[in-house]
């Protein structure tokens, strides 16, 4: 009787061991499948992140060249761009109070949602086209993108500002009546060194 009990016990142990091994074998494919699915998910996530980064880099706006001009430096550039010398003091005054001679300034949003750009704070409502295609863009009378008014090369900004002045006068800038509609400092000091150099060159040629 004791021998039979021992045999039964051994048989049960073997059966349990076989069952455990079988269960382990059955669970192994499930584990492998789960691991594979997890790996696929991670790979997909990494791929998605890489694609997003690539899109951001591709569609990121090009860096804008900007700087703060000095008074006489701006006077010289305006003169080179055919601004009459008699108007230079006014343009310098407007640029000073509108942007402090900074080419890259974008003002706070106006009540109608438009923005003001560059040296002369030119409005996107009437005069330039915003890059983002905002609904507040309406006319683009200067036929120029607003971003072009922020460049280190101030040609577009000056051309547009002069267009505004011809059509609306100096009062198109609110700072004019407050700060610039008065006797202003002349800009002769900005051209003295140039005049002296020309005079010296003339003497040498003689």
């Amino acid at each position: 009787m004791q021998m039979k009990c021992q045999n039964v016990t051994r048989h049960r142990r073997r059966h349990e061991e076989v069952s455990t091994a079988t269960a382990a074998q059955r669970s192994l494919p499930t584990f492998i499948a789960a691991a594979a699915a997890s790996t696929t998910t991670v790979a997909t996530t990494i791929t998605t992140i890489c694609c997003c980064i690539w899109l951001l880099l591709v569609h990121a706006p090009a860096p804008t060249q900007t700087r703060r001009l000095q008074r006489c430096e701006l006077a010289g550039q305006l003169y080179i761009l055919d601004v009459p010398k008699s108007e230079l003091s006014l343009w310098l005054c407007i640029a000073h109070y509108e942007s402090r001679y900074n080419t890259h300034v974008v003002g706070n949003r106006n009540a109608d949602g438009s923005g003001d750009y560059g040296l002369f704070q030119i409005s996107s409502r009437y005069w330039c086209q915003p890059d983002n295609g905002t609904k507040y863009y309406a006319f683009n009378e200067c036929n120029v993108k607003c971003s072009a008014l922020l460049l280190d090369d101030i040609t577009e900004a000056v051309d547009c500002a002069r267009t505004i002045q011809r059509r609306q006068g100096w009062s198109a800038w609110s700072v004019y009546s407050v700060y610039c509609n008065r006797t202003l400092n002349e800009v002769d000091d900005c051209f003295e060194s140039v005049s002296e150099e020309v005079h010296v060159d003339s003497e040498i040629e003689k």
Side-chain angles (χ1 to χ4, degrees):
M1 183 68 178
Q2 185 177 1
M3 183 64 69
K4 289 182 179 180
C5 290
Q6 290 177 350
N7 290 336
V8 171
T9 301
R10 290 174 183 172
H11 179 72
R12 286 179 179 175
R13 288 177 180 174
R14 289 177 183 175
H15 179 72
E16 290 174 355
E17 291 174 356
V18 171
S19 298
T20 302
T22 302
Q25 290 175 356
R26 289 176 180 174
S27 63
L28 184 59
T30 303
F31 172 77
I32 294 174
S38 177
T39 302
T40 302
T41 302
V42 171
T44 302
T45 302
I46 293 174
T47 302
T48 302
I49 292 173
C50 290
C51 288
C52 290
I53 293 173
W54 180 80
L55 288 172
L56 288 173
L57 291 175
V58 169
H59 295 287
T64 303
Q65 292 181 327
T66 61
R67 62 172 173 163
R68 180 173 182 173
L69 300 171
Q70 299 300 315
R71 173 177 169 273
C72 286
E73 181 183 12
L74 177 56
Q77 290 195 29
L78 291 171
Y79 190 67
I80 290 172
L81 293 171
D82 296 326
V83 174
K85 199 171 183 180
S86 59
E87 295 181 1
L88 291 180
S89 294
L90 273 171
W91 286 116
L92 289 176
C93 180
I94 289 172
H96 173 72
Y97 286 104
E98 288 287 359
S99 66
R100 295 297 190 271
Y101 304 142
N102 282 294
T103 64
H104 69 285
V105 173
V106 178
N108 295 327
R109 288 290 176 187
N110 299 315
D112 62 2
S114 61
D116 299 321
Y117 293 80
L119 274 174
F120 304 106
Q121 290 295 277
I122 294 171
S123 172
S124 62
R125 178 67 174 175
Y126 299 102
W127 303 104
C128 66
Q129 178 182 350
D131 291 336
N132 59 6
T134 174
K135 63 182 180 180
Y136 299 110
Y137 149 67
F139 301 103
N140 191 13
E141 292 292 327
C142 287
N143 192 29
V144 66
K145 287 189 175 181
C146 297
S147 58
L149 305 178
L150 305 175
L151 296 176
D152 185 29
D153 181 350
I154 65 172
T155 302
E156 297 281 7
V158 172
D159 286 346
C160 187
R162 296 190 72 191
T163 297
I164 296 170
Q165 193 277 329
R166 284 193 296 269
R167 295 188 185 182
Q168 297 187 353
W170 298 108
S171 59
W173 288 272
S174 59
V175 298
Y176 170 74
S177 59
V178 179
Y179 302 107
C180 305
N181 188 18
R182 62 187 69 181
T183 301
L184 301 172
N185 294 329
E186 296 296 332
V187 295
D188 292 339
D189 59 306
C190 294
F191 297 91
E192 285 177 356
S193 59
V194 176
S195 299
E196 290 175 0
E197 290 176 2
V198 172
H199 178 71
V200 170
D201 291 340
S202 299
E203 291 295 328
I204 293 175
E205 290 177 359
K206 291 179 181 179

